[in-house]
Amino acid sequence: MRLKGKGFPDQQRSVPFTFDGERMTGHAGDTLASALLGNGVRLVGRSFKYHRPRGVYGAGSEEPNALVTIGHGAAADPNVRATVQELYEGLEARSQNRWPSLKTDVMAVNDLLSPFLGAGFYYKTFMWPRSFWEKLYEPFIRRAAGLGALSGDHNEDRYERAFAFCDLLVIGAGPAGLMAALTAARAGVDVILADEDSRMGGRLLSETTEVDGKTGHLWADDVLAELRGMDNVRLMTRTTVFGAYDQGTFGALERVGHHKPRKGDELPRECFWRIVAQRSILCAGALERPIAFPNNDRPGIMSASAVRSFANRYGVVGAPEVAVFANNDDAHRTARDLIAAGVKVSALIDSRDDVEVKVDAPVFTGARVVQTSGRLGLEGLTVEQGGRRHGIKAGVLAMSGGWNPSVHLTCHMNGRPVWDAGIQSFVPRDGAIPGMTVAGAARGRFSTAACLADGAEQGAAAATALGRKNVISPDVPHAEGAAYRHQPLWAVEGRGRKWIDFQNDVHVKDIKLAAQENFRSVEHMKRYTTQGMATDQGKNSNVVALAVLADATGRGIPETGTTTFRPPYSPVAIAALGAGAQGKGFAPQRFTTSHAASIARGAPMIEAGLWYRPSYFPATGEKTWREACDREVQMVRSTVGVCDVSTLGKIDIQGPDAAAFLDFVYTNTMSTLKVGKVRYGLMLREDGYVLDDGTCSRLGEMHFVITTTTAAAALVMRHLDFVAQALRPDLDVQIVSVTEQWAQFGVVGAKSREVLNTILDKPIDDDSMPYMGCADVGVAGVSGRLFRISFSGEHAYEVAVPARFGDSLYRLLVANAEMFGGGPYGMEALNVLRIEKGFITHAEIHGRTTAFDIGMDRMISPKKDCIGKTLARRDGLVDEGREQLVGLKPAGAVKQLTAGAHLFDAGAVATRENDQGYVTSVCYSPTVESYLGLAFLKNGRARHGQTVRLVDHLRGIEALCIVCDPVFFDPEGGRLRG
Amino acid sequence: MRITCPHCGERDRREFTYQGASEIMARPDADAGVSAFADYLHLRDNPAGDTRDMWYHDPCGAWIVVDRNTVTHAVTGSTLAREGRT
């Protein structure tokens, strides 16, 4: 129900919404929780395990009970805390974990079976037979217990991620956080002030206490107005700092769009922030803890501070009659505020004996609540005082077992909190997070005055630590400074279950049972009972559970210890952490300059690393890729083809010691290479295995350009930088990747020179551009480079121009090639052409093969040292029994050969013990008119002519093959030289 | 995690590629033999505490020697590999 004259006056506009399909009306400033209470709804959900009726417990992100699903279909958000969800027009909320309805839930039978379902029940019961684990037990348990469900449909919602940087991050904008931010900001510090709430002010928004002679929230508004006006301050509302990480990095989640109706235009739902701060001040406040008494989980039983929040901030109360049960003075405020608002307080029950209660209501001191009643909502309670029992009527019971500082973030880097006997709770350990200090209630300074003073002090200290001179501590405003008076009360004796973890349905007896069965360590108790393992991570319940465990094991709480708080502080959607990485955002896309022209010709594009390359160029009437591929191969072998090879890595190497450097990174000698010549080169890793291969062109005495494979371009660049900087800083050499600066095209085939001569400023012939020559050339008026190299065995060139001319050069080359009966070809044909010639790619040099394996052992020059030389000589790496590169041709008719198939002796059984090697590359060669394969075969070079058995267990393919030399076509290389 | 590149300043660790212990900079002489090279490449301490390792700053291409602590995760220094082991 609504309280007249309560709640913020700027938030009174009425807002329609639905809950389980029922139309209701709330106010503009409401959360879903306050709107439901305003409509008299106390029952909002069913508990996880026993399906017990539950209602709103708290008023913040720690809420264990009031979890709902917002929206519908693929965009539905399950397990939203109603206390965090802001109300908007047309909001649709549904309750969870109930069937057929919230009021009549069939699975509530679990509650009747509860004597059998205590801690460890599943471990003890679902033991055998083993085959039932996954098929029967788990699905059954999962259906019975649970939270809200995802739709299973693809969610199109947008999430974002962002970085922010500051000198000082202040976490929490209550009285301590506001003072800390204000003090530091006035000293010129760059401040980010983040708060999980939609409105800053913390507890000041929920209390009637005054600060500086003004109502607390008005004072907060004044401070916020000053902060908002400063350029060095950034205020981040709806932003939960959920994790503290190394070197001042914090994870934060901003709820960007959840508080507005969806209109299709759409703000992102959430933004995942990484905030980097030199220093931080944790002003996260404190959370009120419950008291475990029989049936303390009925809808209407709430935390006392939450009842104040709902009354003062939102102007609602859950029922006309309210009782208060506490072990401290603080909760008396709840009774006073309610009475002032005109609500009937039917009893104030204080567990302490000698306490003065200034509240105009029936008071029971030295008393306990020992029973409650009301099936779907609280109706009354039984109070025991001095051996006598009293029945009290109440629809809401505000309970308080004291306060726990929110130490969570200080534990994220392995810091253990310290037990403070004075407040009977844990406080942060000093220096637990480098650069972080803690102020206010988060370190047990609970009064408003103490929070304000502590915030100012820590803010000034942080500004000084950041090097600001003459930091002025502002006058600390006047506020209530009452001492925190309380007496521990964890659990009340009595019949019935005394709930501790509302979200995971753990009660006092479960924890005692764990101790009895020797799960005495706090970490064991936690896992045996699931205490604190729900989505609220035990924010409300952990300290009570520890106290009960300490009591059951006869130890003190400090000896019992505490479990570890880990990030995130509150639940974070995976969609937010992975923001931007869905679909094409998963990896960057790199396009060549010929991309548009390839697409225009209908080429399907395939990924090569991050690059996209044309697979083949379909011609009219071709139905399969094989038809196109065969035609392209024949075209190259008979006339001329054009292919974009820009994706290969291109590295420019210059300097007086460039040649000496290349001798050190290549197995063969590059210093003897003449200017204007190209040489094939092989690089090893230091462990002796092949790193990469490519060409090395000498453009000048001190100027080389090398190519790498597409796959290893970045790896080789990093390797060369490493050798130059870490191993050979003595060499004067400069290295830079120019892969993206040059567009490079292969012009391949017997007619290649004729095509090139249509566009070169000065025509070439065999003398001016011999095989393995290179030169600077003019290409249609543009300065370019020409290399006479071949990856196909044909007379071929690669011509390079600055990337901005790539698109036009490609179109020109293809058009001119077509005049000679040629055209473009794609990756499929490129692959066939190189297999026919036995040229290797990373299918063969895959990181486990040596120069010896690929038949290039003699390329390791004996005259000089190079990376990998010593370890490549190890006996095991040059053993004749190793798998060596061979060619395979089918013996007789076969359906196909497959890469990945394994090889066996012709008559042997195809088992692992008999394995003789494996196939790395296969193709159908229209040139040889046969399937061809490249493979690694034990002692393979000595086995040419033998028959082996190819078996592909995965695809069920088998074939007999003849082992042969890996060069299938033109072994003499006559075509290369034209 | 944040690492300081001597060229570019403090950066998020996502800009860096990790390589391994800085012993990799002390390559044996060409004639040191197989076992010296095998030790150089493979034998590593596994310290709980101060360690020194190699990171590549991908955007600028600098190899960096980083001093850090495997227990506290503190990063205490970084120098260019080009300047040698300090």
Side-chain angles (χ1 to χ4, degrees):
Chain A
M1 56 183 250
R2 291 272 161 195
L3 297 172
K4 257 209 165 86
K6 296 293 283 183
F8 293 145
D10 56 336
Q11 299 179 342
Q12 304 293 321
R13 184 172 55 83
S14 62
V15 174
F17 70 103
T18 66
F19 178 62
D20 278 343
E22 195 179 329
R23 287 166 188 281
M24 300 182 184
T25 307
H27 283 184
D30 271 337
T31 60
L32 176 61
S34 67
L36 287 170
L37 290 172
N39 282 276
V41 177
R42 287 182 299 167
L43 174 65
V44 292
R46 290 277 176 167
S47 74
F48 182 72
K49 185 172 169 185
Y50 297 121
H51 291 246
R52 285 175 68 87
R54 292 282 166 80
V56 174
Y57 167 81
S61 68
E62 74 281 9
E63 174 61 31
N65 289 341
L67 304 184
V68 296
T69 298
I70 304 290
H72 54 266
D77 288 309
N79 308 323
V80 173
R81 290 148 293 168
T83 51
V84 173
Q85 176 63 51
E86 294 167 57
L87 200 67
Y88 57 78
E89 212 165 303
L91 178 141
E92 294 174 29
R94 279 171 295 138
S95 58
Q96 305 179 157
N97 201 30
R98 81 291 187 270
W99 187 86
S101 77
L102 190 53
K103 284 182 180 151
T104 347
D105 177 15
V106 167
M107 290 307 290
V109 68
N110 274 7
D111 198 34
L112 301 174
L113 297 174
S114 66
F116 307 103
L117 296 176
F121 165 73
Y122 298 125
Y123 302 129
K124 293 168 188 165
T125 309
F126 297 108
M127 302 267 289
W128 48 263
R130 191 191 176 104
S131 60
F132 279 26
W133 288 359
E134 276 183 30
K135 291 195 179 115
L136 192 65
Y137 294 153
E138 190 183 322
F140 170 76
I141 294 166
R142 284 201 186 282
R143 223 182 353 262
L147 300 166
L150 289 166
S151 67
D153 297 328
H154 181 69
N155 187 349
E156 295 286 351
D157 283 341
R158 206 154 59 81
Y159 291 77
E160 280 187 351
R161 55 187 161 176
F163 281 85
F165 300 86
C166 60
D167 296 333
L168 176 67
L169 172 65
V170 180
I171 303 159
L178 288 172
M179 280 308 283
L182 185 66
T183 308
R186 281 179 179 170
V189 170
D190 251 339
V191 176
I192 290 178
L193 175 60
D195 193 285
E196 62 176 356
D197 206 331
S198 59
R199 184 164 175 154
M200 291 189 168
R203 280 306 297 174
L204 295 177
L205 304 178
S206 294
E207 306 292 2
T208 49
T209 51
E210 294 195 335
V211 177
D212 226 3
K214 293 176 255 196
T215 311
H217 68 87
L218 296 177
W219 175 84
D221 285 347
D222 289 349
V223 173
L224 288 164
E226 180 176 346
L227 290 172
R228 214 168 277 127
M230 296 166 91
D231 291 338
N232 55 331
V233 177
R234 176 176 196 159
L235 301 179
M236 298 178 75
T237 52
R238 301 186 177 94
T239 305
T240 307
V241 178
F242 64 75
Y245 303 90
D246 292 324
Q247 279 85 43
T249 307
F250 294 85
L253 186 73
E254 180 183 2
R255 304 187 310 281
V256 183
H258 286 305
H259 61 291
K260 292 188 171 175
R262 288 168 184 267
K263 287 186 187 135
D265 49 344
E266 243 53 89
L267 290 167
R269 308 305 291 163
E270 294 170 358
C271 180
F272 166 41
W273 288 91
R274 288 189 186 92
I275 302 176
V276 179
Q278 292 191 52
R279 297 197 63 85
S280 57
I281 305 179
L282 180 67
C283 306
L287 295 173
E288 201 167 32
R289 58 198 182 205
I291 301 169
F293 57 87
N295 293 311
N296 59 339
D297 66 332
R298 296 192 196 278
I301 303 183
M302 303 164 71
S303 105
S305 58
V307 172
R308 286 207 295 287
S309 294
F310 286 120
N312 295 329
R313 176 173 175 179
Y314 302 103
V316 298
V317 67
E321 273 182 294
V322 180
V324 179
F325 176 33
N327 65 349
N328 60 75
D329 285 1
D330 188 60
H332 298 178
R333 286 202 261 175
T334 307
R336 285 197 293 269
D337 286 355
L338 289 174
I339 290 164
V343 179
K344 183 179 174 192
V345 173
S346 53
L348 190 150
I349 305 116
D350 196 314
S351 62
R352 297 168 296 174
D353 287 318
D354 49 349
V355 61
E356 189 190 350
V357 183
K358 294 178 195 151
V359 170
D360 189 15
V363 172
F364 301 83
T365 56
R368 311 269 193 276
V369 176
V370 294
Q371 193 52 270
T372 67
S373 63
R375 197 173 72 86
L376 296 176
L378 183 70
E379 285 166 11
L381 33 118
T382 308
V383 173
E384 192 178 272
Q385 185 188 37
R388 287 186 55 197
R389 295 198 163 201
H390 308 266
I392 308 280
K393 234 178 112 209
V396 166
L397 175 63
M399 70 170 155
S400 174
W403 290 84
N404 295 328
S406 292
V407 302
H408 307 74
L409 285 178
T410 67
C411 305
H412 286 183
M413 289 173 72
N414 224 11
R416 292 269 165 177
V418 184
W419 181 252
D420 182 332
I423 61 167
Q424 288 286 303
S425 192
F426 290 98
V427 292
R429 186 179 294 276
D430 284 342
I433 305 284
M436 178 188 276
T437 55
V438 185
R443 62 168 179 157
R445 304 191 174 192
F446 290 137
S447 76
T448 310
C451 285
L452 293 164
D454 202 22
E457 194 178 314
Q458 299 299 336
T464 307
L466 286 161
R468 300 300 186 281
K469 304 270 185 282
N470 309 319
V471 177
I472 300 157
S473 295
D475 294 335
V476 176
H478 182 75
E480 65 83 19
Y484 174 57
R485 279 192 296 269
H486 85 302
Q487 195 175 56
L489 175 67
W490 309 109
V492 174
E493 292 301 316
R495 281 174 57 88
R497 283 165 293 170
K498 302 163 270 287
W499 301 94
I500 295 175
D501 185 332
F502 296 114
Q503 206 176 52
N504 259 358
D505 278 349
V506 179
H507 52 90
V508 169
K509 202 171 143 193
D510 289 326
I511 291 170
K512 289 184 172 165
L513 183 69
Q516 192 183 317
E517 299 190 350
N518 215 23
F519 292 95
R520 295 158 60 91
S521 147
V522 61
E523 298 287 359
H524 288 155
M525 177 280 285
K526 166 177 169 172
R527 281 151 187 88
Y528 196 61
T529 62
T530 71
Q531 158 65 39
M533 289 172 69
T535 63
D536 68 346
Q537 291 285 289
K539 285 189 188 67
N540 307 293
S541 57
N542 265 355
V543 175
V544 180
L546 292 176
V548 171
L549 180 67
D551 188 47
T553 55
R555 294 173 293 185
I557 295 174
E559 291 80 52
T560 305
T562 178
T563 53
T564 311
F565 293 114
R566 294 189 180 85
Y569 172 74
S570 53
V572 177
I574 297 291
L577 296 178
Q582 280 175 303
K584 291 217 157 73
F586 182 70
Q589 294 175 291
R590 301 178 81 182
F591 298 127
T592 61
T593 55
S594 65
H595 190 81
S598 297
I599 296 278
R601 283 176 169 269
M605 304 302 279
I606 55 168
E607 292 169 44
L610 300 177
W611 291 101
Y612 284 74
R613 303 184 75 179
S615 185
Y616 55 94
F617 294 86
T620 316
E622 285 172 349
K623 293 190 187 69
T624 66
W625 69 270
R626 258 290 302 282
E627 286 176 71
C629 175
D630 287 0
R631 174 184 48 77
E632 287 172 16
V633 170
Q634 284 162 333
M635 172 188 79
V636 171
R637 293 270 182 238
S638 61
T639 56
V640 60
V642 176
C643 178
D644 192 330
V645 293
S646 308
T647 61
L648 274 75
K650 299 182 274 295
I651 300 174
D652 195 281
I653 299 172
Q654 301 192 36
D657 296 325
F661 174 77
L662 290 168
D663 281 350
F664 189 60
V665 292
Y666 278 114
T667 59
N668 45 333
T669 309
M670 295 299 175
S671 53
T672 54
L673 189 64
K674 292 191 167 50
V675 174
K677 295 295 276 183
V678 186
R679 190 170 281 168
Y680 176 76
L682 189 69
M683 285 185 197
L684 303 183
R685 304 191 309 230
E686 192 69 277
D687 63 3
Y689 290 84
V690 176
L691 171 67
D692 199 39
D693 70 345
T695 61
C696 175
S697 307
R698 191 163 200 170
L699 299 177
E701 269 310 312
M702 294 192 277
H703 186 189
F704 296 79
V705 171
I706 69 165
T707 63
T708 74
T709 56
T710 300
L715 185 68
V716 171
M717 186 64 212
R718 197 157 68 223
H719 171 70
L720 297 185
D721 271 337
F722 177 79
V723 174
Q725 296 172 33
L727 298 183
R728 299 300 303 273
D730 56 306
L731 297 178
D732 186 355
V733 59
Q734 303 299 324
I735 308 167
V736 66
S737 166
V738 293
T739 304
E740 284 161 350
Q741 280 68 26
W742 291 89
Q744 193 154 320
F745 305 104
V747 184
V748 182
K751 304 272 187 193
S752 56
R753 185 155 56 204
E754 289 163 67
V755 171
L756 278 172
N757 278 339
T758 62
I759 56 161
L760 289 177
D761 294 352
K762 262 171 45 189
I764 52 164
D765 57 24
D766 243 347
D767 294 331
S768 62
M769 182 53 65
Y771 177 55
M772 294 307 257
C774 67
D776 289 334
V777 291
V779 185
V782 171
S783 295
R785 290 170 181 167
L786 189 64
F787 308 86
R788 185 164 167 190
I789 51 179
S790 176
F791 194 50
S792 59
E794 293 299 320
H795 178 181
Y797 301 84
E798 290 186 9
V799 57
V801 290
R804 64 185 180 281
F805 301 111
D807 178 60
S808 55
L809 178 58
Y810 180 76
R811 290 173 196 270
L812 193 59
L813 283 171
V814 169
N816 291 4
E818 282 173 335
M819 294 194 303
F820 290 89
Y825 67 100
M827 295 296 290
E828 296 296 346
L830 180 105
N831 194 42
V832 174
L833 291 163
R834 69 97 189 169
I835 293 174
E836 288 175 345
K837 282 293 289 178
F839 290 144
I840 53 172
T841 66
H842 276 279
E844 284 73 39
I845 47 173
H846 49 48
R848 288 170 290 138
T849 50
T850 64
F852 174 85
D853 298 341
I854 57 173
M856 295 188 185
D857 202 22
R858 274 170 301 169
M859 276 186 71
I860 305 178
S861 166
K863 295 183 188 150
K864 62 173 183 75
D865 187 22
C866 74
I867 296 285
K869 181 177 176 179
T870 300
L871 292 182
R873 283 202 307 257
R874 282 180 288 177
D875 294 341
L877 297 196
V878 291
D879 190 289
E880 285 300 332
R882 285 181 66 83
E883 292 160 344
Q884 302 165 359
L885 182 68
V886 295
L888 295 178
K889 272 188 178 180
V894 297
K895 213 169 116 222
Q896 66 177 130
L897 306 183
T898 51
H902 278 243
L903 301 175
F904 302 89
D905 288 338
V909 188
T911 58
R912 190 158 45 94
E913 298 76 28
N914 294 333
D915 190 80
Q916 292 293 302
Y918 55 96
V919 183
T920 52
S921 300
V922 295
C923 72
Y924 176 78
S925 163
T927 316
V928 185
E929 295 185 330
S930 166
Y931 273 100
L932 304 176
L934 295 176
F936 285 93
L937 179 68
K938 281 182 181 166
N939 199 21
R941 282 191 287 271
R943 292 169 73 172
H944 292 183
Q946 288 185 12
T947 303
V948 292
R949 186 175 166 213
L950 175 152
V951 180
D952 186 332
H953 283 115
L954 199 64
R955 301 179 188 87
I957 286 169
E958 229 191 291
L960 285 178
C961 294
I962 310 285
V963 179
C964 61
D965 189 86
V967 185
F968 301 95
F969 179 68
D970 187 28
E972 299 78 23
R975 301 172 73 94
L976 280 172
R977 288 167 181 84
Chain B
M1 184 172 172
R2 313 274 300 167
I3 295 170
T4 298
C5 168
H7 291 146
C8 311
E10 191 188 285
R11 290 289 190 275
D12 188 89
R13 64 118 176 111
R14 284 163 192 77
E15 292 187 11
F16 297 84
T17 301
Y18 176 74
Q19 178 69 31
S22 68
E23 277 94 325
I24 199 72
M25 292 172 72
R27 190 174 186 269
D29 291 340
D31 54 3
V34 165
S35 92
F37 265 90
D39 288 357
Y40 155 70
L41 198 60
H42 299 298
L43 272 192
R44 291 290 179 272
D45 291 334
N46 183 20
D50 290 333
T51 185
R52 178 173 284 186
D53 39 33
M54 310 293 299
W55 296 74
Y56 183 64
H57 191 219
D58 295 284
C60 80
W63 276 97
I64 299 163
V65 184
V66 174
D67 290 295
R68 60 191 188 93
N69 189 296
T70 57
V71 176
T72 64
H73 294 191
V75 176
T76 50
S78 59
T79 54
L80 289 175
R82 192 178 277 288
E83 288 162 8
R85 307 178 74 212
T86 49

